[in-house]
Amino acid sequence: MSTSPPPARVLVARSSHLGDVAQTIPLVHALRSAFPGARVAWAIQPAFAPLVAPLVDAVVPFERDGGARAWPRIRRAMRAFGADLAVDAQGNWKSAMVVRLSGAQRRVGCARAAWQEPLAARVLGVSGATAADAPHLVDRLMAVAASVGAPAAPPRLDPALTGDELRAGFEALEALSPGAGRAPLLLHPGVPGDPRTWPSERYAALLERFGPHSDRAPIVVTGPAEADVGARLDALDRCGAAAHLVGQSDVRALCALFHAARQRGGVLVAQDSGPAHLAASVGLGVRLLAGPEDPSRTGPWPVCGAVDSPHRLVRPPADWRPGAPWTRRPIESIEPEDVLAAL
């Protein structure tokens, strides 16, 4: 427990990626709970700012594509905010430099052994606040929050959707899948070329298993990076039983859609991706197509297979359980029949 005076202004540095940003939301909720009178800012890339802007008092844009000119701009913005506590939630050279340039006298992060680039913490003066034995990012960040005075509490993952956003989510789901008689089955094909991405041909084969009289209503959701895949699956959907939301770019609207799907007993089938973590943030169960990364480190939280988790692995290795060594396997080894079994 921290004995330092409570901070008046707190800066969180986590600039990317979408899934990691979503998993940093519990840290912000915990800091809010610990320091209700403090102003909180988030240093983040503009592409991800819309997800977190309602959670904080200020967004400090880190314009990564701006090159060297981005650094003076973010330094001016942070100095204008005037943080006295800066929390590195990313653990690399860029995030460590951000908290250093913030001007905050107190700079904390995870244990250096848990950093992607641990030398950055030593060189740039970020204190390692936690032990390195917590494998999952959410657990590590909650330990960081506890080290600066946050009370012990279950992590709060939700992005604080408004009533208007929730209503819009239900309307969007109704437009895609009218009626409440069929549980939504959302599918998110990943970015082509990513080793975590299940081949789009497998998604197409899976869709063939669902006809108009199935008790599941398939909805294929793709973002801007996967829009070509989404359009191709739409064209390959011979049964025509699926709805296709192609090129969806509003991440809070996607959270609201996932929330509505949860209310109708739905699940999301996805690889380890940003949308999988958005689904987890609103409690929508994920059927995770895992490979080659360890889901107990990078998958949705609570960890797949844990007693209190709504998330399940699709055909996990026979000898795997949460906390056991992960067998690095190619995601292509998973078959459509494995997904059907998990449903």
Side-chain angles (χ1 to χ4, degrees):
M1 181 68 69
S2 170
T3 57
S4 302
R9 294 175 183 265
V10 181
L11 176 81
V12 174
R14 175 87 225 189
S15 64
S16 64
H17 298 275
L18 179 58
D20 295 322
V21 168
Q23 292 188 329
T24 304
I25 288 174
L27 169 66
V28 173
H29 283 309
L31 292 171
R32 287 285 199 196
S33 176
F35 312 119
R39 288 176 57 80
V40 178
W42 194 321
I44 191 169
Q45 291 180 24
F48 308 111
L51 174 63
V52 305
L55 301 170
V56 294
D57 301 293
V59 167
V60 179
F62 177 47
E63 299 166 354
R64 180 180 177 184
D65 295 338
R69 291 176 294 180
W71 292 103
R73 287 196 290 265
I74 192 171
R75 182 181 184 276
R76 286 194 296 270
M78 291 189 297
R79 293 302 174 97
F81 178 73
D84 44 11
L85 169 65
V87 181
D88 189 321
Q90 191 152 355
N92 61 19
W93 280 100
K94 286 187 175 68
S95 58
M97 181 64 77
V98 167
V99 301
R100 181 74 177 189
L101 293 177
S102 71
Q105 292 298 305
R106 191 174 183 204
R107 302 181 295 276
V108 300
C110 296
R112 290 171 184 171
W115 280 48
Q116 298 169 351
E117 298 164 346
L119 183 61
R122 185 182 306 276
V123 172
L124 296 172
V126 180
S127 300
T130 71
D133 56 357
H136 200 279
L137 177 62
V138 170
D139 293 320
R140 294 199 303 268
L141 293 181
M142 292 303 291
V144 173
S147 75
V148 297
R156 178 183 167 186
L157 281 75
D158 71 277
L161 296 170
T162 67
D164 287 343
E165 287 174 322
L166 292 172
R167 283 188 290 273
F170 281 104
E171 291 170 0
L173 181 61
E174 181 65 19
L176 290 164
S177 176
R182 304 170 71 202
L185 174 63
L186 297 110
L187 304 104
H188 172 248
V191 178
D194 189 321
R196 298 170 299 176
T197 293
W198 204 43
S200 58
E201 294 77 12
R202 301 284 176 85
Y203 278 103
L206 180 62
L207 288 176
E208 291 179 0
R209 308 306 205 270
F210 295 92
H213 302 296
S214 167
D215 60 352
R216 299 269 186 179
I219 302 170
V220 181
V221 179
T222 49
E226 312 95 23
D228 290 346
V229 176
R232 186 163 65 251
L233 284 174
D234 194 0
L236 290 173
D237 187 4
R238 301 181 185 91
C239 295
H244 294 265
L245 183 58
V246 179
Q248 210 281 349
S249 60
D250 186 331
V251 290
R252 290 188 67 84
L254 186 58
C255 287
L257 176 68
F258 287 161
H259 181 272
R262 173 198 173 192
Q263 297 296 101
R264 277 181 45 183
V267 295
L268 171 70
V269 174
Q271 52 281 306
D272 189 350
S273 63
H277 297 292
L278 294 182
S281 76
V282 295
L284 177 65
V286 178
R287 300 298 173 262
L288 186 69
L289 304 155
E293 294 188 344
D294 184 348
S296 65
R297 298 185 63 86
T298 66
W301 197 94
V303 172
C304 293
V307 173
D308 59 345
S309 177
H311 316 305
R312 296 290 180 267
L313 283 180
V314 176
R315 196 175 66 79
D319 60 348
W320 184 84
R321 64 188 186 280
W326 173 250
T327 302
R328 293 181 64 86
R329 65 174 184 195
I331 197 169
E332 293 86 351
S333 67
I334 298 173
E335 299 290 342
E337 288 74 16
D338 299 320
V339 179
L340 295 174
L343 296 175

